[in-house]
Amino acid sequence: MSRAAANVSRRCRCTGSDAARSVTLAGMFLALLATLIWSVTVGTSDIQAGAVLSAIFAFDGSRDHLVITALRLPRSLAGVLAGSALAVAGAIMQAVTNNPLASPGLLGINAGAAFAVVVATSSIGIGSQASIWFAFGGAGAAAVIVYVVASVGHRGATPLKLVLAGAVLSMFLGALTTALLLFDQATLEAVRLWTAGSLSGRTAVEVGSVAPYILAGLVAAVVLRRNITTLSLGAELARSVGQDAIVWRCIAVVVVTLLAGGAVALAGPVGFVGLVVPHAARMIVGGDYRWIIPFSAVGCGLILVLADTAGRALFGSQSFPVGVTMAMVGAPFFIWLARTRIGSAA
């Protein structure tokens, strides 16, 4: 085994055994299922957990079953899909850029997707299914712009330059989006909650139209997670083990665009999710992306559904944006992360 390959193998060794990680991951998945059922029971009228299961496996057309299948279950499934997609996208971005502060929100990808959807809604009045393609286009364009801008200069796209370029683009696109909505009241009413990051009003048709793209991105991330681990070690080491860093970065951009674009189309630009959860997963399993990616997917699906349900239960509003709840949790974590990791990232 070459020294480079040995370094890759050593980097992939994490605390605890694979069996322990598997048990922990299985426990998180069971917690996700339990939280999913609980979230469906919370609403303007109480529904028993047994009714949720019967609505799924023995639908009878009753009022409770209709409420579950048409309103509450799609909302909760949207939370699982959007949360998993944003967390895995953030994990991939942190690996590819070797930047602990990378996430779809901080690098402008969420803002790009949201801006594209708002422009399309205002100009041509697109529906929910068509918005997927505009979200993908906006996410991909934002990723390319941030990387190109950060690459200017003799040092190239350093982690700090990527964060700065992403922050500038996010603020610029956010300002344009706000200005557009101020002058277009119809579009503002249509996307007001969505732009704050909300699962309110998600339908089974909308979830079904976005789910294939998010699931394709998640499957690709799981299949390619060993290559992503190698990318996280740097371009020079990746080349030494026979991996073309440029090709794999392009592949990573495609996967991130599928995930972030689909998540924004479904739940709006929910912030901090793609930053917080991959770091929490890394604290549990170490630096091996073979485990970080599945832990991020399951953990963030759990967290986003829990945050959405807690917001509805605490504030008594079915339209309370989950983006607000996640900002309350994510902002303190980001401050801690910036204070402790920004030096090494620069």
Side-chain angles (χ1 to χ4, degrees), residues 243-272:
Q243 186 179 86
D244 190 326
I246 295 177
V247 170
W248 281 100
R249 281 175 177 170
C250 291
I251 293 173
V253 168
V254 173
V255 175
V256 167
T257 300
L258 278 174
L259 293 171
V264 172
L266 194 58
V270 181
F272 294 105

Side-chain angles (χ1 to χ4, degrees), residues 322-334:
V322 68
V324 175
T325 308
M326 287 308 307
M328 293 177 182
V329 176
F333 186 90
F334 172 73

Side-chain angles (χ1 to χ4, degrees), residues 246-298:
I246 295 177
V247 170
W248 281 100
R249 281 175 177 170
C250 291
I251 293 173
V253 168
V254 173
V255 175
V256 167
T257 300
L258 278 174
L259 293 171
V264 172
L266 194 58
V270 181
F272 294 105
V273 175
L275 173 69
V276 173
V277 177
H279 280 283
R282 195 174 290 109
M283 292 175 184
I284 298 173
V285 301
D288 188 349
Y289 281 84
R290 295 176 302 169
W291 289 100
I292 290 174
I293 286 175
F295 266 80
S296 296
V298 176

Side-chain angles (χ1 to χ4, degrees), residues 100-190:
L101 300 180
S103 73
L106 288 177
L107 294 191
I109 293 178
N110 284 359
F115 177 69
V117 171
V118 169
V119 168
T121 303
S122 176
S123 59
I124 60 177
I126 61 171
S128 59
Q129 291 187 335
S131 68
I132 300 170
W133 301 107
F134 287 95
F136 288 152
V144 172
I145 291 171
V146 168
Y147 189 81
V148 169
V149 171
S151 298
V152 176
H154 67 282
R155 294 184 61 190
T158 64
L160 181 57
K161 288 168 68 178
L162 284 168
V163 170
L164 292 175
V168 170
L169 183 64
S170 294
M171 288 187 291
F172 177 68
L173 293 179
L176 289 181
T177 301
T178 301
L180 181 61
L181 292 176
L182 287 175
F183 289 100
D184 189 341
Q185 290 297 315
T187 302
L188 175 61
E189 289 302 316

